[in-house]
Amino acid sequence: EGIREKLSMFCQVSPKQVFSVHDCESLYHVPILLREQGIIDVLTDRLKLNELTIPAEIRSEGTTLWSQWREFARRRARDLDQTTIAVVGKYTYLTDSYISVVKALEHAALNVNRKIKINWVEASDLEESSMHKDPLKYHEAWQHMCGADGILVPGGFGERGVEGKVLAAKWAREHKVPYLGICLGMQVAVIEFARNVCGMSGVHSTEFREDCETPAVIFMPEIDRSTMGGTMRLGSRPTKFQDSEFARNSMTRKLYGGVDEVHERHRHRYEVNPEIVKELESKGLHFIGRDAETGERMEIFELENHPYYVAAQYHPEYLTRPLSPSPVFLGLILAASGQLQAYLGGEDVSKDVDTKLKM
């Protein structure tokens, strides 16, 4: 209180308008801390909120939202059952590079009453060359990936570690491990499938092998490669679920609530080559979501006869929220924790808690 009064005097504000935001168990506890110190009363008074006529429906919605937020923060502090996800990337020595992915995983996990543990795997350490150069790193990387409940390959640029990501996608596919690929993570999974399931020769991405025999991933056709700057496909774009039996009954579409179209944010220059899609789909890799503008861009795939092998060209982690996790991240956590089929069947996967989240 003494410090509060001192700050009040030097800053020329009332003591009740000085708030302490000390270290909390998590970031999600900060709003709770501020409310306990009376910030709602101060804001109500300063903004004259009591003079407004707020419908009972909106007041009730606010009360419910606050209860859900408190429950979310409580789960963050609890000792929940743990789900381990291996994130296979090329910037894993600076994990803040993947902060959006980390938060998307955390939001999804807490919404289904799980605690997330991330095994960071440097993609290049999975490659055969690493076994000869640094056997310890090689075996540790494989141990961390093989010991995870699910695998996530996020986006990235540059050739380093690409073959390691291909190996991660192959391991997940062959061993029925839940997999989520994002942007480049989708592209490497397509490369792996084309090589090892379809038997195509010389498969690669033109981003890394411009003259490869079978380009599975190509530069966007409408972009001039000689022009630098402003050449990425950016922003929120619509993805339309296909009108096929598999797409209509896909896990991904159900996770999105059965809608016909979703809007997600993009950030890429390369995309799956539409010329090989028919053969990929004939082997079980279904492109259930395509761009709504042309229908030629592959946006979402889902592999048949697999617990959860899903990838997206867009970046779903950009739209995650604590009480509204990204559907594909939610699917990964549910599959990795053995709850996906129960969830899709309408079962309440958080039935052991009193307060339900918005999910």
Side-chain angles (χ1 to χ4, degrees):
E1 285 300 323
I3 295 175
R4 190 184 300 249
E5 290 176 4
K6 184 176 181 180
L7 287 171
S8 169
M9 180 177 65
F10 282 102
C11 297
Q12 298 180 345
V13 297
S14 166
K16 68 178 183 179
Q17 293 175 267
V18 179
F19 300 95
S20 169
V21 185
H22 50 261
D23 288 347
C24 299
E25 291 182 88
S26 75
L27 180 67
Y28 309 116
H29 286 78
V30 172
I32 299 172
L33 175 67
L34 290 172
R35 180 165 185 169
E36 288 173 348
Q37 294 179 54
I39 195 170
I40 298 297
D41 296 332
V42 171
L43 292 175
T44 299
D45 179 58
R46 297 289 292 180
L47 300 176
K48 302 186 185 303
L49 297 180
N50 281 333
E51 297 180 11
L52 299 176
T53 301
I54 302 176
E57 182 181 349
I58 295 180
R59 287 182 180 274
S60 176
E61 183 180 336
T63 300
T64 301
L65 181 62
W66 180 246
S67 296
Q68 291 170 341
W69 185 271
R70 289 180 65 90
E71 169 61 19
F72 186 85
R74 186 185 72 85
R75 292 186 191 184
R76 178 62 174 77
R78 282 183 59 201
D79 186 20
L80 302 173
D81 290 340
Q82 185 171 274
T83 297
T84 303
I85 301 296
V87 175
V88 182
K90 62 180 293 186
Y91 316 115
T92 58
Y93 296 110
L94 182 62
T95 55
D96 273 3
S97 302
Y98 297 110
I99 192 63
S100 296
V101 170
V102 172
K103 291 302 177 186
L105 287 170
E106 184 177 76
H107 297 166
L110 290 175
N111 271 268
V112 294
N113 223 24
R114 289 293 187 274
K115 179 181 180 181
I116 189 71
K117 178 180 183 290
I118 297 177
N119 284 352
W120 294 102
V121 179
E122 187 69 17
S124 56
D125 290 342
L126 296 171
E127 298 171 4
E128 189 176 352
S129 59
S130 176
M131 180 173 62
H132 304 295
K133 189 168 75 172
D134 195 332
L136 181 60
K137 276 188 176 180
Y138 173 82
H139 290 293
E140 282 184 345
W142 274 98
Q143 183 180 28
H144 285 153
M145 186 179 73
C146 297
D149 301 309
I151 296 172
L152 189 153
V153 178
F157 295 92
E159 186 175 1
R160 181 174 64 83
V162 165
E163 290 302 327
K165 294 178 182 181
V166 170
L167 289 169
K170 183 173 186 285
W171 173 268
R173 179 182 59 79
E174 291 183 338
H175 293 83
K176 305 288 187 182
V177 177
Y179 175 89
L180 176 60
I182 298 172
C183 197
L184 181 58
M186 175 183 183
Q187 296 169 8
V188 296
V190 168
I191 292 170
E192 188 280 322
F193 195 85
R195 287 177 181 175
N196 300 311
V197 178
C198 298
M200 299 179 188
S201 59
V203 179
H204 220 299
S205 166
T206 57
E207 181 179 1
F208 314 119
R209 297 285 189 278
E210 191 169 348
D211 57 350
C212 63
E213 181 182 347
T214 306
V217 179
I218 59 173
F219 201 76
M220 291 188 298
E222 74 273 24
I223 301 297
D224 179 5
R225 299 189 67 170
S226 64
T227 303
M228 300 299 290
T231 58
M232 297 187 78
R233 186 168 180 253
L234 298 168
S236 179
R237 309 270 182 154
T239 293
K240 186 176 180 61
F241 283 103
Q242 298 303 286
D243 188 24
S244 66
E245 185 178 356
F246 185 89
R248 287 193 297 271
N249 296 296
S250 64
M251 294 180 287
T252 309
R253 187 172 184 178
K254 290 177 182 177
L255 287 164
Y256 273 104
V259 298
D260 294 327
E261 189 175 287
V262 296
H263 288 255
E264 296 275 6
R265 290 172 60 185
H266 293 68
R267 189 172 185 268
H268 67 104
R269 291 189 182 92
Y270 291 82
E271 60 192 20
V272 175
N273 185 354
E275 293 182 4
I276 68 168
V277 165
K278 188 174 181 179
E279 187 169 353
L280 295 174
E281 289 194 316
S282 71
K283 299 291 186 180
L285 192 68
H286 298 271
F287 291 89
I288 60 173
R290 304 189 185 193
D291 74 299
E293 297 146 330
T294 69
E296 292 295 317
R297 286 197 169 96
M298 305 304 119
E299 294 282 5
I300 310 169
F301 79 56
E302 185 175 309
L303 180 64
E304 65 182 40
N305 301 321
H306 193 285
Y308 190 79
Y309 196 86
V310 171
Q313 182 59 64
Y314 51 78
H315 287 264
E317 70 273 24
Y318 291 163
L319 295 183
T320 183
R321 298 293 183 269
L323 299 178
S324 181
S326 163
V328 290
F329 276 87
L330 186 66
L332 176 66
I333 298 298
L334 286 166
S337 59
Q339 303 179 91
L340 180 57
Q341 292 308 314
Y343 176 82
L344 295 178
E347 186 176 326
D348 185 357
V349 296
S350 295
K351 55 182 175 292
D352 57 331
V353 296
D354 294 330
T355 303
K356 309 303 178 187
L357 302 187
K358 291 176 68 176
M359 182 186 72

